[in-house]
Amino acid sequence: MEERESETSNKKKNKPWAFWSWAFASVIFRLILAYFPRNLNFSARPEVSTPLTSFRRLAEGYWLKQSSMSPYAGSMYHGSPLLLSILGPLTVRRDGNEGLPNQLICSLVFVIADFVTAMLIRSTGLNLQMAYNQSLKSLGLVRLLENSELILSGDIAALVYLWNPFTIISCVGLSTSPIENLVIMLSLYGACTRRVPLAAFGWVLATHLSLYPAILIVPVILLLGYGPDAPPRKLLLQKFRESCSCDCSSQDKEQTSLHKELANQSVQPMLFSWKPVVFFTLWACMWAFYVLVLCAISVKQYGGLREMFKRTYGFILTVEDLAPNIGVLWYFFAEVFDFFRNFFLIVFHVNILFMLLPLAIRLNHRPCFLAFVYIAIASMLKSYPSVSSCLFLESCNPSNIKDQLLRISIQLYADMQLSFFLFCGYVGVSLLSPVMHNLWIWRGTGNANFYFATAMAYACLQVCIIFSFISFMKTLTIILVVESVGAMLNHDRKLRKLSATAA
C-alpha cells in the first residue's frame, strides 16, 4: 500500500511538468507553421477566414484608413474599429518582402491569445471541479470522489484546445477568431471566479466583436448569482427535508440536534445572490460606454457610430456577403426570392432567442454547461461560421472554447453515445470540404451543390431535423447539444438515485 501511495504521489508531481511541456510544445509548433504561410495558405480558405474574421480584410481596412478613407468603404472590412486600431499596424508591409505583411508578428499575437485562452480554460476547469466536488459532498456522495480522476480535467481541456487541429489552423491562418475566443473565455472565467469587472469587460468586448456572445449574459448572471456548479435544487430540497425530518430516537438529544444543524448547513439550497449581478450591470454599462466612446472617436470622420453599426452588426444580421462558407445560410439566401428575404432573416435570428429561456430554466443549476449550449446554437445559426466555431466534441479533437466548457465536465462523456459517429463525420467533412471547393472554384468540374453538400453534411452532424412545417420552415435541434444535454440530465438522475440509496 505504501508503494502504491508513493507511486501515485510521484505521478501527481510529474503531471504539472508534463502539462507545461505539452503546452509550450504547442506554442512552438504554431510558430514553426507560421514560417510557411505560402505553402499552407490557410488564410485563403473559406473554412478558416470569414468576412468578419479575415486578416486580409483587416489589412485592407487599415490601408483605407491610412489613406484618409473610411475603413468600411468598398465593403471589405466589417469588424471592430478598435480591433482595427490594435492589429492594423501589424499589417504594414515591409520593404523588400514582396508585399507580404509581417507574418510572424501577426501569428505571434494569435499564438499568445490561444495560450492565454487555454490558461483561462484550465483555471475555469479547476473552479468547476472544486464546485462539483463540493456539491457531491453536500449530497453525501463522497465515494464518487474517491473513484474519480477529475483533478486534471482543466489541464486536459487546455491541452486539447492547444493541440486541436482546427484551433491551430485558425491561429496559423491569421483569423481573428482567437481574439474572440479570448474575450469570451475571459468573461466566463471572471463570472466563475466572481471577478465582476473582468466578467463585464469580457462580455462587452465579446459582444462588440461578434454580436452573438450577447446571449451569454444569461449564464454569466447565473454564474454570478448561484456559482459555477450545483446539484439540482429539487435534489437539495429533498435532502434538506430529509435532514430536517430525521427522528430523534437516539439517547443523546444534544448530539442529534448538533447533527441536524450540521446536516442542514451542508445540504441547504443555495440562494441567488443579487449583489454581484447588480455590480455586473453597473460595470457592463460602464465598459459599454467606454467602448462606444472609443469607437466614436475612431470613426468620427467616417460616418460616426451609425455607420459603424450598419457596417458591423447590420452586416451580420442582413447576411449581405453570400460567399461560400461551411454554413448553410449563404446558399439558402442565394436561392430565396428577395420578397421573402426579410422574413427568413427574422426567422433564423429569432430562432436563437426562442431557445434561450427554456434552456435557462432547465439548466440554471449548470451555468457553464448552459454557456456551452448557447454558444453551440449560435455557432450553427450564425451568419458567417468557420472551423473555429464548429462542434468537434470527440474525445481526441474538440475545437473551440464552447467544446472545452463541456470537456471540463469529463465525467459526462460516459453518457454520450454518438461520439464515434460524430468523430468520423467531422473527419470526413474536414477532408471533403477542400476537395469539393477545389472542384467547384478552380477546376470547374463541379458546381455549388458539390461544396454545399459538405456544408449540409456538417449541419447534419450538428442537427437533428424535426419536420414540423410551420410556415414552410424546419425546426432544428442540435444533435450534439441534445446528446450533451441528455448526458447532463442523466448525470443529475444518477446523483438523485445515489443520494436516495445513501439516505
Side-chain angles (χ1 to χ4, degrees):
M1 294 295 294
E2 294 179 356
E3 293 180 356
R4 292 181 179 177
E5 291 178 358
S6 62
E7 289 179 359
T8 53
S9 62
N10 291 331
K11 288 181 179 180
K12 289 181 180 180
K13 291 180 181 179
N14 294 330
K15 284 176 181 177
W17 292 102
F19 168 77
W20 290 110
S21 60
W22 280 103
F24 286 115
S26 66
V27 173
I28 295 173
F29 182 69
R30 281 170 164 81
L31 294 178
I32 292 174
L33 293 180
Y35 278 102
F36 306 99
R38 289 185 177 181
N39 297 332
L40 299 176
N41 198 24
F42 287 141
S43 59
R45 297 299 310 166
E47 299 87 0
V48 178
S49 296
T50 66
L52 299 176
T53 62
S54 175
F55 199 75
R56 293 183 175 182
R57 288 175 176 259
L58 189 144
E60 181 70 18
Y62 186 74
W63 182 86
L64 292 173
K65 187 176 181 180
Q66 292 296 106
S67 301
S68 299
M69 291 186 290
S70 173
Y72 301 111
S75 187
M76 281 294 294
Y77 182 67
H78 299 280
S80 167
L82 301 182
L83 194 66
L84 185 69
S85 301
I86 296 173
L87 299 180
L90 300 179
T91 63
V92 176
R93 301 172 180 177
R94 291 182 175 179
D95 297 334
N97 198 22
E98 298 182 1
L100 291 176
N102 195 344
Q103 187 84 15
L104 186 59
I105 296 179
C106 297
S107 299
L108 183 61
V109 173
F110 299 123
V111 170
I112 295 174
D114 270 347
F115 184 79
V116 175
T117 304
M119 296 303 103
L120 293 176
I121 290 171
R122 181 172 181 261
S123 300
T124 306
L126 295 176
N127 291 327
L128 286 180
Q129 178 199 327
M130 293 173 60
Y132 180 76
N133 294 345
Q134 187 177 1
S135 65
L136 289 181
K137 291 180 181 178
S138 65
L139 295 175
L141 303 177
V142 186
R143 59 182 180 178
L144 290 180
L145 298 176
E146 298 175 356
N147 299 327
S148 61
E149 295 182 357
L150 300 177
I151 297 178
L152 297 179
S153 59
D155 294 350
I156 294 174
L159 289 178
V160 169
Y161 179 84
L162 288 173
W163 282 101
N164 181 268
F166 290 167
T167 308
I168 295 174
I169 289 174
S170 299
C171 179
V172 178
L174 295 179
S175 172
T176 58
S177 298
I179 306 296
E180 298 177 4
N181 295 343
L182 174 61
V183 293
I184 291 174
M185 201 61 220
L186 193 67
S187 175
L188 296 177
Y189 169 75
C192 283
T193 57
R194 292 199 171 182
R195 291 180 170 88
V196 178
L198 188 63
F201 177 75
W203 179 77
V204 168
L205 277 187
T207 305
H208 173 66
L209 291 179
S210 58
L211 182 61
Y212 290 101
I215 62 178
L216 293 179
I217 190 172
V218 178
V220 167
I221 289 177
L222 293 176
L223 280 169
L224 294 173
Y226 287 119
D229 193 2
R233 265 171 287 284
K234 291 182 179 179
L235 187 57
L236 277 176
L237 288 173
Q238 180 182 358
K239 195 76 174 178
F240 180 73
R241 291 168 184 171
E242 290 176 358
S243 63
C244 290
S245 61
C246 63
D247 295 330
C248 299
S249 60
S250 61
Q251 296 179 356
D252 195 354
K253 295 182 178 180
E254 294 181 357
Q255 293 182 357
T256 55
S257 61
L258 291 174
H259 176 72
K260 287 172 62 178
E261 291 179 0
L262 294 174
N264 293 342
Q265 291 178 2
S266 61
V267 299
Q268 188 174 5
M270 296 179 60
L271 299 177
F272 188 84
S273 178
W274 287 99
K275 184 177 180 180
V277 176
V278 173
F279 285 158
F280 172 80
T281 304
L282 296 177
W283 276 102
C285 293
M286 188 191 70
W287 287 122
F289 176 77
Y290 186 65
V291 169
L292 289 177
V293 169
L294 292 179
C295 291
I297 296 174
S298 180
V299 297
K300 181 179 180 180
Q301 301 176 353
Y302 314 113
L305 292 177
R306 183 176 180 180
E307 182 69 13
M308 184 198 72
F309 288 139
K310 179 182 178 182
R311 296 291 186 173
T312 54
Y313 296 158
F315 180 77
I316 295 173
L317 296 176
T318 57
V319 197
E320 296 179 5
D321 196 324
L322 300 179
N325 53 56
I326 62 173
V328 296
L329 296 188
W330 65 273
Y331 191 88
F332 182 86
F333 286 105
E335 298 294 334
V336 75
F337 292 106
D338 293 337
F339 179 77
F340 299 102
R341 180 180 174 85
N342 293 332
F343 169 74
F344 285 112
L345 282 174
I346 296 173
V347 169
F348 275 108
H349 292 303
V350 173
N351 194 21
I352 300 176
L353 302 178
F354 282 161
M355 303 181 189
L356 300 184
L357 184 59
L359 290 170
I361 295 174
R362 187 62 184 88
L363 297 173
N364 57 2
H365 62 289
R366 309 283 190 188
C368 277
F369 184 78
L370 181 64
F372 152 75
V373 176
Y374 281 1
I375 301 176
I377 293 173
S379 67
M380 185 197 68
L381 296 176
K382 67 192 306 183
S383 304
Y384 308 102
S386 63
V387 294
S388 64
S389 60
C390 75
L391 296 172
F392 200 68
L393 272 170
E394 294 304 315
S395 58
C396 297
N397 294 314
S399 70
N400 203 348
I401 62 173
K402 62 181 180 297
D403 307 328
Q404 312 310 322
L405 296 175
L406 181 61
R407 169 156 292 278
I408 286 170
S409 304
I410 295 178
Q411 69 275 11
L412 303 178
Y413 273 80
D415 296 326
M416 297 187 68
Q417 302 174 357
L418 299 178
S419 298
F420 182 74
F421 170 75
L422 292 171
F423 175 77
C424 295
Y426 278 112
V427 169
V429 170
S430 302
L431 296 176
L432 288 177
S433 181
V435 174
M436 295 302 176
H437 186 268
N438 187 24
L439 292 176
W440 173 32
I441 299 297
W442 301 107
R443 297 185 180 273
T445 57
N447 52 34
N449 295 325
F450 281 54
Y451 188 72
F452 182 66
T454 60
M456 285 296 296
Y458 163 79
C460 288
L461 291 173
Q462 303 178 79
V463 175
C464 175
I465 303 179
I466 303 175
F467 290 94
S468 58
F469 288 94
I470 302 175
S471 301
F472 303 99
M473 285 299 298
K474 297 176 182 179
T475 302
L476 304 180
T477 307
I478 306 174
I479 283 181
L480 197 55
V481 172
V482 171
E483 184 73 2
S484 56
V485 170
M488 177 65 75
L489 297 180
N490 291 333
H491 183 69
D492 291 339
R493 294 189 187 101
K494 287 182 179 180
L495 290 180
R496 189 179 296 109
K497 291 180 182 178
L498 290 174
S499 63
T501 55

